[in-house]
Amino acid sequence: MNGEARSGAGGARQAQQLSPGSLAALSNVDFTDSDADEIFSVATAAVGCLAPCQVAASYRSENGRFVRFPPSQAARPEIERHILESGADGQVDLQNGRWGWAFPLSHRSTVNGCLVVSAASAPSENEFRLLTMLSQQAGTALAHAAMHDRETGTAAKLRQANADQEVANRELAITVSRLQRQTNVQEILSAAVAAGRGEQGIVNALYDLTGHSVGLEDKFGNLRCWAGPGQPRPYSKQAADKRELLLHELATKNTPARIGGRVLTIVQPRTEILGVLALSDPDNTATEDSLLALSYGGTMMALELSHQRSLVEIELNLRRDLVDDLLAGADQEGAYARATALGHDLRRPHYVVVAQNAGCAQSALATAAGRAATALHRNHLQGRHAGLVVLLTDGRPDPWALHHGISEILGATTSVIGIGSRCEVPEEFPQSFVEARRALNIRLHSANPEGAAAFDELGFYRLIDAAQGGGAVEVFVHEWLGTLLDYDDRRNAELVLTLGTYLECGGNYDESAAVLHIHRSTLRYRLTRIAELTGHDLHKVDTRFNLHAATRAWRFLNPGR
């Protein structure tokens, strides 16, 4: 067999030399619609039918390399080394001196694989030609199978791509729909804020968006506003310790949280908690869109409440500045203009009210004083001056009614109020402030410091207050009570207190004894001893008047006695 025959050239001429039986055997080999596994299996079986040979090894070309195919066949290192070094075409040296030949499985100059055939001796020329033609058919079949695989893979990829695109389109549609709903929520809530409807407008918008009743609570659990049916009456309020735990839990989550039959979100613009938005949902029907609306509503409510607080603080500062300037002596026309800008009519008669309370913070006292004045229907400007809470009230408030209102708000605390004289024009505020402080000071030095005092009702005490600075009061007290004061100090007695109480009670024995918590005979003994020590006749009008004035002055100079 020459090289031309070995290479399989001249296929037509070779076919003419083949016997009809050989051609029939070759024609029975069918690679139609076969995949790579079946092609190699058919080719391997056909080798034994076309020649007294067998397949020693078979390989498939993958990415420029020959790999065993099928992979389950045993490794043949000597064959693989030969193919690697000499190529997949030509004689192969096999073990035990057997004949071997590598037939390339090619199509249009592309080698798609290789069959290594072995036999005890070389086959005939016709048999060799049959094996060559078989390898060519197998190579063509492999090329067609590869092309089919590529087409099938491409079609599968197209189908997968289409399926992926459909999924992406559905996801995009869902995302667009969700964004549209989010935008709608934002637009509705923003419109409520922009319309100036305040916190009630936001709560109403949330009710419209969710279909669930919504309430706004302050940080303490008090209801500020409500929208929707079923408002609880009275509104349930948590205990302070439980409320603190709830606020801490909501602040930690920072997202709407279901607690009982409600969904809650915290209203917190920065670090300070201003309130809680509560969506009623006893049946657990709130949708994702409802929770989104509640969450965004919390953000808008935080901005609204923060804005309200800023406005209040600005107005409060402006009012404080105006009060400070009025008490220091402000320009009249400028004062009128500034008060008008704050919505206050300063052209009406006003009174200066000062308040002090050692038992609470000044801010709490200021809040209580403002609320009490409002409850008495007194328009006012409020500020703080010289360590005191100051109100400039439109009209004279009832001192004791104002004190009672403050005490109700603050509880069991000691508040003292002083009211100055009437101011017709702003220039009179500084003097009225001085008088209000004097009234408060006199009240502080009285036997019962807690309460209220109006400067125009002080009477005798105004004289004491005016004379105190020059020392005249102390001289007057010592002149009339010096002997009794010395006696009380030496004996730890209470003759001055007894005398003062007796005179305050108008000389009534029973009433005086009851106030002093002593027996009537004890009172009579003390009064007799007072007359003996001082030499004063308590029946004389002038003497009684001076002693009464002296005991009142003593109490003024010694508060709490």
Side-chain angles (χ1 to χ4, degrees), residues 34 48 281 372 419:
S34 298
D281 186 28
I419 301 178

Side-chain angles (χ1 to χ4, degrees), residues 359-530:
C360 70
Q362 195 176 62
S363 59
L365 176 60
T367 301
R371 290 172 57 186
T374 300
L376 294 175
H377 307 290
R378 292 300 173 191
N379 296 323
H380 61 278
L381 294 172
Q382 182 174 329
R384 302 175 194 175
H385 195 78
L388 300 171
V389 172
V390 180
L391 301 178
L392 306 183
T393 63
D394 177 0
R396 185 180 187 276
D398 181 288
W400 285 100
L402 182 61
H403 179 269
H404 177 72
I406 294 175
S407 299
E408 277 195 336
I409 296 171
L410 295 180
T413 57
T414 303
S415 299
V416 186
I417 295 173
I419 301 178
S421 58
R422 177 185 175 111
C423 302
E424 298 290 346
V425 293
E427 286 86 346
E428 296 177 354
F429 281 123
Q431 179 59 33
S432 182
F433 174 67
V434 171
E435 294 168 352
R437 290 185 65 183
R438 290 175 63 185
L440 181 141
N441 185 57
I442 290 171
R443 186 73 205 183
L444 285 173
H445 286 81
S446 67
N448 183 19
E450 179 184 1
F455 186 76
D456 55 10
E457 296 177 353
L458 290 176
F460 167 75
Y461 286 106
R462 289 167 59 179
L463 299 178
I464 295 177
D465 181 63
Q468 181 185 1
V473 176
E474 289 84 350
V475 173
F476 177 78
V477 170
H478 184 74
E479 178 182 342
W480 284 92
L481 301 177
T483 301
L484 297 180
L485 291 171
D486 292 341
Y487 183 87
D488 284 346
D489 288 341
R490 292 194 309 271
R491 303 292 185 89
N492 194 27
E494 294 182 336
L495 295 184
V496 176
L497 177 62
T498 300
L499 176 61
T501 302
Y502 171 73
L503 295 173
E504 289 289 339
C505 293
N508 186 297
Y509 270 74
D510 293 333
E511 184 179 349
S512 300
V515 172
L516 292 169
H517 303 290
I518 60 176
H519 196 271
R520 179 185 174 94
S521 60
T522 303
L523 174 62
R524 181 177 290 106
Y525 168 77
R526 289 184 182 180
L527 292 176
T528 301
R529 187 62 177 151
I530 289 171

Side-chain angles (χ1 to χ4, degrees), residues 208-224:
D208 293 339
L209 285 166
T210 65
H212 293 263
S213 297
V214 180
L216 172 65
E217 302 172 351
D218 64 17
K219 65 183 297 183
F220 307 108
N222 302 302
L223 182 66
R224 291 176 63 98

Side-chain angles (χ1 to χ4, degrees), residues 57-140:
S58 57
Y59 301 91
R60 185 177 182 180
S61 178
E62 294 182 2
N63 300 320
R65 296 176 59 250
F66 287 101
V67 296
R68 289 194 302 274
F69 197 90
S72 59
Q73 65 182 300
R76 299 294 296 269
E78 74 281 6
I79 296 176
E80 294 169 5
R81 184 168 53 253
H82 174 85
I83 292 175
L84 179 63
E85 295 174 354
S86 304
D89 185 7
Q91 186 172 350
V92 179
D93 295 329
L94 299 178
Q95 295 177 351
N96 301 324
R98 290 176 64 83
W99 175 85
W101 196 273
F103 291 90
L105 309 181
S106 58
H107 176 71
R108 294 183 179 178
S109 72
T110 300
V111 178
N112 299 310
C114 173
L115 287 179
V116 178
V117 177
S118 68
S121 60
S124 67
E125 185 174 355
N126 285 340
E127 291 170 341
F128 188 88
R129 290 172 182 169
L130 289 173
L131 294 175
T132 301
M133 295 176 68
L134 174 68
S135 64
Q136 290 174 346
Q137 291 179 11
T140 301

Side-chain angles (χ1 to χ4, degrees), residues 480 503 535-547:
W480 284 92
L503 295 173
H536 296 312
D537 184 355
L538 299 182
H539 296 92
K540 290 183 178 182
V541 175
D542 289 342
T543 300
R544 288 170 67 94
F545 174 79
N546 286 323
L547 286 174

